[in-house]
């Protein structure tokens, strides 16, 4: 490593940032997941937009869809 590189120390503060979630993990009811999966499967539905609307990542909503029982 070249001798002219410099490093900065970043201090992590345990205090809660403004607007950060209060709980570490959120729990979603099965009924809520079922409703959101149904909404995401409607014709013309945008999964990413729906995920943003409810405050989760699109990958989480896709996981819920994959875990949902298949009809038919």
């Amino acid at each position: 490593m070249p001798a002219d590189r410099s490093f900065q120390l970043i201090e992590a503060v345990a205090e809660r940032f403004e607007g950060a979630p209060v709980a570490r993990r959120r729990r979603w009811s099965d009924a809520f997941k079922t409703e959101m999966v149904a909404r995401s499967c409607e014709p013309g539905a945008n999964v990413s937009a729906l995920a943003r609307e409810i405050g989760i990542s699109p990958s989480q909503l896709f996981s819920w869809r994959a875990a949902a029982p298949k009809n038919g």
Side-chain angles (χ1 to χ4, degrees):
M1 175 181 283
D4 62 342
R5 291 217 174 190
S6 63
F7 296 93
Q8 292 180 345
L9 179 64
I10 299 174
E11 182 181 353
V13 180
E15 294 176 15
R16 187 174 168 273
F17 290 108
E18 178 91 23
V22 175
R24 271 184 178 247
R25 253 183 110 122
R26 294 180 288 178
R27 303 278 182 197
W28 304 100
S29 70
D30 289 339
F32 180 80
K33 291 179 188 179
T34 301
E35 181 183 343
M36 293 305 111
V37 166
R39 282 184 58 190
S40 72
C41 292
E42 291 175 357
N46 182 322
V47 175
S48 294
L50 177 59
R52 278 192 306 272
E53 179 185 322
I54 60 177
I56 64 172
S57 70
S59 64
Q60 182 67 58
L61 185 49
F62 279 111
S63 295
W64 291 353
R65 287 172 52 141
K70 307 293 184 240
N71 291 333

